[in-house]
Every structure is written in structure tokens, then in C-alpha cells.
Amino acid sequence: MTIIRRAVIALWLPILLVLLWWFASASSTSLFFPPLADIVSATNALWIWDHTIVDLLPSLRNMLLGLGIATALGVALGLVLGSFPRLLATFDPGIELFRALPAVAILPVAILVLGLGDSMRVFVIVLGAVWPVLINTTAAVRGIDPTTRDVEAAFRLSAASRFLRVRLPAALPQILAGVRVALYISVALIVVSEMQGAGVGIGHFLLASQRNWAITDMWTGMVVLGFVGYGLSILFRFAERALLRAYPPQRLGKD
Amino acid sequence: MTIADHRTTGETVPVASDPAAPLVEVRGVSHSYTTKAGSREVLRNISFSVKPREFVCIVGPSGVGKTTILRDIAGLQAATSGEVRVAGTALAGPSNDIGLVFQDYSRSLMPWMSVTDNVALPLRGRMSRTERDGRVASALLEVGLVGHEESRPWQLSGGMQQRVAIARALAFGAPVLLMDEPFASVDAQTRADLEDLALRVRNDTGQAVILITHDIDEAIYLADRIVVLGGRPASVVEEIEVPFGPERQQLVTKALPEFGRLRARVHRLIEDASRAMTGSMPAVEES
Ligand SMILES: Nc1ncnc2c1ncn2[C@@H]1O[C@H](COP(=O)(O)OP(=O)(O)OP(=O)(O)O)[C@@H](O)[C@H]1O
Ligand SMILES: [Mg+2]
């Protein structure tokens, strides 16, 4: 009962929009806006499974690699910076400066230095996605309750215990909120970075279709990207729930 | 090597040959806080000592500096002058010889850890897994939390959470237990239970206990000796021996005529101390 109600509440708008799209485009002869029915059949033909294997999987692999490195880097640096206020005071202006620079603006430099391969794409994702994780981790560690710090000190916890058993888990809810933002950034950046000199990848597919006037194909790429983004977000929510299972309920997102 | 290194919970603390020799010595401790408004002396020349197995309560009016002296003893902050010695060694920072129980159990326990993991936390990296498991189990047994090993603190009542915090300090295996108003935020019945737990722990493990409290009845019920702080800056106004022995019972002990006399005496001392404090209120010196 409640599951059906929640599904209705979550899905009525997307379903309505898809229906609107379907009927409004049904008799379309415009080159740019093909009927949704055509897009659906083209999606079946193209993405089950040829382009999924050739384009989508490499994109996902690079994206997850970049996101993984960004998360590891952001958490590690954030734990250190959050733990030492004087270090933070030294690095904070630099962090603010770099963060303000859009990662896309790094793209030309990254291509010059790293060429057009996967390492350039992963690098750009890391550079764009590391900030929300770093900033959230730093803020969370700085905000750890003074009593918790007293516990660390009074019981003379080892450095490993302080960082891995106390500060990391104490910061985890905020870290995950940062990783969620980093996930959206990564999806955007993998698409953009593949529009430059990539032979495969969903970004390459989108741009190549558009350049070849295969507009229906281009639309299928966008549909697939939409589903992938939505799927990743759902997967992330499951992971978040699992990781925060041991935490007091009010620290979980309200839903 | 300290005596803490040789003991496990449940055994009696093996203490240096002379049982009357002080285990904790607070020697001429003064403490000043420096803020934007200047420097303010909170404690002046505090001296007292605690013998092995002794239960000492520190009382005094609100804001007199009880938490300050506790943090100095725990090594969480350095006294401005004077020293604290435990088992003959001057402390420089937190020590393996002192187990701390904080007032605010909801902040001092790690909410994401099970009861077992909370109690085991201070022991990690210090001993074998088998020894750690043994200490945790006997500490949980001592505080009556068997059966709650896998619960999270936030799933437990306030009294049970404070038992977890006490178990953690016990498992740590220090010869001295230090508690800052440990029972201030639980209801009356739970409070009485926890007081009896604190007495039993001392009797079972032979640890010395220093407990800070607002509550005069609590101090008399628990203490072998009461240290009354007063004044601004605070010093030891009086030390009062409580002659009730190690075994006490809430209804019986509190009904003793001597209990009433002690209560009146401590009451008067604290009243005088707070009157003296409000009388000489602005004690801020420019620095
Ligand atoms: N970190 C600090 N910086 C400046 N002043 C402080 C600090 N901590 C405590 N004080 C001041 O020192 C005095 C003693 O504080 P303390 O907390 O030790 O008193 P207390 O006896 O524990 O009080 P309570 O009964 O309310 O717990 C108070 O006037 C307080 O305002
Ligand atoms: Mg206090």
C-alpha cells in the first residue's frame, strides 16, 4: 500500500512528461524532434547491447575510477586538514581558489599535458569531483564534538584509531553527502571530456551522432544517459543506507 | 611500567607496598583561563590526595572550578602551576593510569559503534584480541550490560549509556577512575542504581575514584572523603572524612544520624562558599 503510494508520488510527473512527449511528438516530421516512438525503437536497436558494451561501459569505468580516486583523495586530505586547524588555515585560500575554477576549464590544459586518452578524462573527473568530498570531510572533522576529542585524548587512542575508528565514521554522513554531489559532477564531466578526441564513450557517441545528422541516435544517447544517471543515484542511495545503518535515525536523510 | 599495565578488570589492583601512600597527589595546582577579556584565575593552590581504594567526592558551588580541576587531573589541559602525581609520577598529559567517565554520555560514546566496540575502543592496538575480548566481557558483566553487547548507544536508556561509559573506563584498566557529574542527567531511581554501581565497582576492582558532583547527598553517600571547593579563585575550603565504611545502602546509610549532621555541615560550607563568591564577583584581571 505505502510502497504503491510512494511510487505514485515519485513517478507521476516523469510519467506525465513522457506521455506528453510521446503524444506531442507522435506525428512530428521535424528533423530535430523525431517521434518518441522512433527514439524508443532506435534505443532498443542501438543500446541492446552493442553501444552499451562499446560506449557506455568504458564511460562508466572511467567515471567510477575518477570518482573513486576523488573520494579517496578528498577523504584522506579532509581528515588531515580537518584535524589540524593551522594546516587548514594555510591551505584554505588555495582550496577556495581551485574550487572556484570550473573543471571544464582545465580540459584544454589536461589535453595538452596528458593527451586525449583515458588518463586525461579520469584526471579531469578527479579534479572536478574532489572538492565537494574534500570540503565536506574537512567541515565534518572540524565539527566533531569537543567531548569526542576529549575521549580520544583521555584514552590515548592511537593515530589509527583516531582517524579510522573515530573521525572517519563521525564524518561519514557528511562525506557521503559530498560524494553524492561528486557523483553528479563526474557524470557531467565524463560526457564533456569524451567530446574531445575520444574514439568511444557516451559523450563521443552523442557528439558523433549530432555531427553525422543522426539526430534520432543522438536522442537515444540522451535517454540512456538519463537512465544511467537515475540508476546511479538510486544505487548510491542504497549504498548510503547500508553504510549509515548503524547511525542514529535522525542522521539519515529524511525520506 | 605503571601498575595499570599489570591488571585486568575484575582483579584487585596490585598497589605499591604501602596502602596508605597516596595514589593521586594534587600539589599546589593553580589554573588561569586566558580569554579576550583578560586572564582569570579560577583555581589557586589546590592540594589534596587520594589513597588507593579511596572514594573522594569533590563538591562546590556551581562555576567554582570543579570541571577545571578534573581536566587538570585528567591531563586534558595543563595546570598553570603545580603538579598532579599518580603512583609517584608527575603527569604530563593524559595517562594510562586514569580512566575517565564524562558527564555527557550521549557525546562521549560513539553512536555508530556497538556497546562492545565502544568499550573496546581504548584497548585497540594495545593488546591481543583475546585479552581485549576478556576485558570487555568482564567490564560489561561488572556494569550489568550482558545481553546488550550488540546494541548501539542510542538504542539504550540514559542510565544504560552511562553504564557503557563506566564499562569503557573499567576496561581501560587504570587504577584511578575520574568522573565529572556522571549521574547528573538521569532520573532519580537510575541515579541511585548508578551510585550503588560506582560503590560496587570500587569495592570489586579496588580502584580509587574521584567523583565530582553537585549533589551533597550523593557526595556523602559515596565518599570516604569529601573535598569542598570554594572561593574565587577557588581553593580547598575543607576536607571531610565520611566514616561509613565501604558497604552502604541507600535507605540505611542515608537514615543514619551522622549522615544528617554531615549534610548540614557540607551544606553550610557550600552556602558560605557561594556567598563569598558572589561577594567578590568581578575577579577579572587585565593582562
Ligand atoms: N575554557 C575556558 N575558558 C575560559 N573560562 C573558562 C573555561 N572553562 C571554564 N571557565 C570558567 O572557569 C570557571 C570554572 O568553571 P568550571 O567549569 O570548572 O566550574 P564547575 O565548578 O565545573 O561548574 P559547574 O558546577 O557549572 O559544572 C567558570 O567561571 C567558567 O566560566
Ligand atoms: Mg562542571
Side-chain angles (χ1 to χ4, degrees), chain A residues 145-158 161 165-167 169-171 245-249 251, chain B residues 71 74 76 94-96 98-100 102 104 107-113 121-122 124 126 152 154 168-169 172:
Chain A
D145 196 281
T147 309
T148 305
R149 296 291 181 107
D150 284 345
V151 171
E152 290 180 352
F155 290 110
R156 306 183 66 203
L157 299 192
S158 64
S161 279
R165 296 204 174 88
V166 177
R167 293 175 201 178
R245 213 183 48 239
Y247 289 65
R251 293 179 77 160
Chain B
R71 292 179 66 83
L76 290 173
S95 151
N96 286 344
I98 293 174
L100 205 53
F102 296 83
D104 195 347
R107 290 162 195 270
S108 91
L109 298 173
M110 308 299 151
W112 57 88
M113 285 183 190
L121 179 64
R124 297 208 180 258
R126 288 171 177 255
R152 312 284 157 184
W154 47 272
R168 179 174 64 186
F172 192 53

Side-chain angles (χ1 to χ4, degrees), chain B residues 66-67 103 180-181 212:
Chain B
K66 301 185 293 295
T67 298
Q103 172 179 350
D180 187 6
E181 304 206 28
I212 286 173

Side-chain angles (χ1 to χ4, degrees), chain B residues 240-257:
Chain B
I240 300 168
E241 297 287 337
V242 181
F244 297 148
E247 303 291 342
R248 304 180 186 194
Q249 281 184 317
Q250 293 279 355
L251 291 175
V252 179
T253 309
K254 288 184 176 174
L256 293 172

